[in-house]
């Protein structure tokens, strides 16, 4: 069984700020760091660091060589990362002293994937392979439809959420990994229990993992199973890529055959470690670091 992650690759410009810039305000930042990120790229790195071979598919611009280099160093298969004229995607990220962030995206090459490229990637997949998706690329509906026709297992992190995602055939998704905001946007409910119940009614065949940041994580499926695991308390420096780390480690634990409670705990621990460091992919821990943290 293969894992294909068809997702975004962004250069992240991370500014340290005293507070998030407000409408009409000009704000001096305390510093700037540039990192490789993008929800897709971060999740491939998390899978690789958790010990799962992953093939990344997507599009970078002429400036995208650094992503390919890092992928090779991390052992991520890049045979389906294409290069197009123009710029790669980028993100402008503000991080405040509490470690919270605000992200402004420029899609760039992430919005230039083609139907031919999708066909090529899917033609290399077999029934039962896993297709991991987020919502930072174009043609998501086509990907979901094509993958479902080939009987792939679709795992979706619907981030960032937008209304039109609901028209992309989400009933074909096997596992949703969602944060609280996305859960509220998808269901118009506010309480985690209500969000999970509403999602269960919308997609009765799917499983759901609802992350609540420092409040922990819920798991639910259409058969009535519900689990809760508390978050690991840490001092947050930068929460960027915490959700991506969780997604990669959750999927990895599942493929490694870990029992659900254990894999939720492990994914929480990995995400907690990620928030103790600045940056996106750079903040994602290796499996040995997660093991050490869990045994403390
Ligand atoms: O989830 C974090 C990521 O969101 C950042 O790396 C940024 O590129 C945006 O895609």
């Amino acid at each position: 069984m293969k894992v294909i992650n068809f997702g975004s690759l962004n250069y992240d410009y991370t500014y340290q700020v005293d507070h998030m810039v407000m409408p009409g305000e000009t704000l001096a930042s305390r510093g700037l760091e540039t990192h490789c990120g993008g929800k897709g790229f971060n999740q491939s790195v998390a899978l690789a660091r958790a010990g799962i071979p992953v093939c990344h598919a997507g599009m970078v611009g002429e400036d995208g060589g650094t992503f390919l280099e890092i992928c090779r160093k991390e052992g991520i298969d890049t045979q389906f990362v294409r290069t197009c004229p123009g710029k790669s995607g980028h993100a402008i990220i503000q991080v405040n002293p509490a470690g919270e962030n605000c992200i402004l995206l420029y899609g760039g090459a992430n919005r230039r994937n083609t139907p031919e490229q999708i066909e090529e990637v899917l033609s290399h997949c077999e029934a039962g392979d896993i297709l991991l998706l987020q919502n930072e690329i174009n043609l998501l509906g086509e990907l979901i439809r094509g993958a479902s026709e080939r009987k792939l297992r679709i795992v979706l992190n619907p981030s960032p959420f937008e209304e039109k995602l609901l028209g992309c055939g989400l009933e074909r998704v096997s596992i949703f990994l969602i944060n609280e905001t996305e859960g509220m946007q998808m269901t118009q409910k506010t309480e985690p229990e209500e969000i999970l119940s509403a999602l269960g009614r919308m997609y009765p065949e799917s499983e759901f993992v609802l992350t609540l940041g420092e409040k922990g994580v819920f798991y639910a499926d259409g058969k009535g199973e519900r689990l809760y695991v508390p978050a690991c308390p840490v001092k947050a420096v930068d929460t960027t890529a915490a959700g991506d780390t969780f997604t990669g480690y959750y999927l990895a634990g599942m493929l490694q055959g870990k029992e659900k409670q254990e894999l939720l705990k492990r994914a929480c621990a990995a995400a907690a470690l990620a928030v103790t460091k600045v940056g996106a992919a750079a903040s994602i821990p290796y499996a040995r670091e997660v093991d050490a943290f869990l045994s403390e």
Side-chain angles (χ1 to χ4, degrees):
M1 186 206 303
K2 292 190 287 295
V3 180
I4 318 281
N5 181 10
F6 208 131
S8 58
L9 307 101
N10 291 333
Y11 285 116
D12 289 352
Y13 299 91
T14 303
Y15 297 86
Q16 307 296 329
V17 292
D18 287 336
H19 61 264
M20 306 307 181
V21 69
M22 309 224 270
E25 184 185 25
T26 301
L27 181 69
S29 68
R30 293 195 168 275
L32 164 67
E33 289 189 27
T34 47
H35 298 277
C36 281
K39 294 184 198 303
F41 177 76
N42 297 338
Q43 291 178 23
S44 282
V45 170
L47 277 159
R49 292 189 178 178
I52 293 294
V54 55
C55 176
H56 193 93
M59 189 73 88
V60 290
E62 290 148 334
D63 56 354
T66 312
F67 289 106
L68 300 176
E69 264 167 49
I70 298 179
C71 281
R72 281 184 204 118
K73 274 192 206 138
E74 297 284 343
I76 298 166
D77 183 342
T78 55
Q79 63 173 307
F80 296 123
V81 179
R82 300 281 172 260
T83 303
C84 66
K87 280 184 185 296
S88 297
H90 74 244
I92 292 178
I93 305 180
Q94 300 175 55
V95 178
N96 72 12
E100 296 162 326
N101 65 36
C102 269
I103 303 183
L104 177 68
L105 287 176
Y106 167 70
N110 295 311
R111 312 295 313 177
R112 302 216 190 101
N113 295 291
T114 63
E116 295 72 34
Q117 187 190 359
I118 290 177
E119 183 51 37
E120 187 194 5
V121 172
L122 294 180
S123 70
H124 281 77
C125 299
E126 289 162 19
D129 286 349
I130 290 188
L131 180 69
L132 173 61
L133 299 169
Q134 313 76 28
N135 188 31
E136 286 187 342
I137 59 167
N138 61 328
L139 300 180
L140 209 64
E142 283 80 350
L143 266 163
I144 291 175
R145 195 171 44 247
S148 143
E149 280 163 13
R150 286 177 172 82
K151 304 203 171 348
L152 308 195
R153 283 194 86 191
I154 302 168
V155 178
L156 175 66
N157 170 221
S159 186
F161 178 78
E162 57 185 334
E163 204 64 29
K164 80 169 197 227
L165 200 53
L166 296 174
C168 286
L170 300 192
E171 64 285 353
R172 296 164 165 138
V173 171
S174 300
I175 306 173
F176 289 88
L177 291 126
I178 301 177
N179 70 22
E180 201 172 10
T181 308
E182 291 146 9
M184 288 182 197
Q185 291 169 320
M186 283 178 79
T187 64
Q188 316 306 318
K189 305 285 181 200
T190 49
E191 294 306 312
E193 290 287 344
E194 293 174 343
I195 293 173
L196 289 170
S197 300
L199 287 170
R201 286 192 294 276
M202 289 161 74
Y203 308 112
E205 304 298 324
S206 311
E207 294 173 60
F208 308 96
V209 182
L210 179 66
T211 57
L212 309 171
E214 61 198 16
K215 290 179 280 173
V217 55
F218 277 100
Y219 166 89
D221 67 12
K223 296 176 207 94
E225 185 180 6
R226 286 228 175 152
L227 298 170
Y228 170 76
V229 168
C232 308
V234 285
K235 164 122 185 55
V237 172
D238 178 2
T239 54
T240 310
D244 301 328
T245 305
F246 183 94
T247 295
Y249 267 84
Y250 181 86
L251 198 52
M254 200 184 90
L255 295 168
Q256 287 156 345
K258 293 194 195 310
E259 187 259 324
K260 218 157 265 144
Q261 194 89 22
E262 188 197 340
L263 76 91
L264 286 168
K265 193 171 158 199
R266 195 171 165 74
C268 283
L273 284 173
V275 307
T276 63
K277 287 193 189 155
V278 177
S283 72
I284 298 170
Y286 288 89
R288 61 174 182 280
E289 297 173 283
V290 179
D291 290 337
F293 181 66
L294 282 168
S295 63
E296 267 168 24

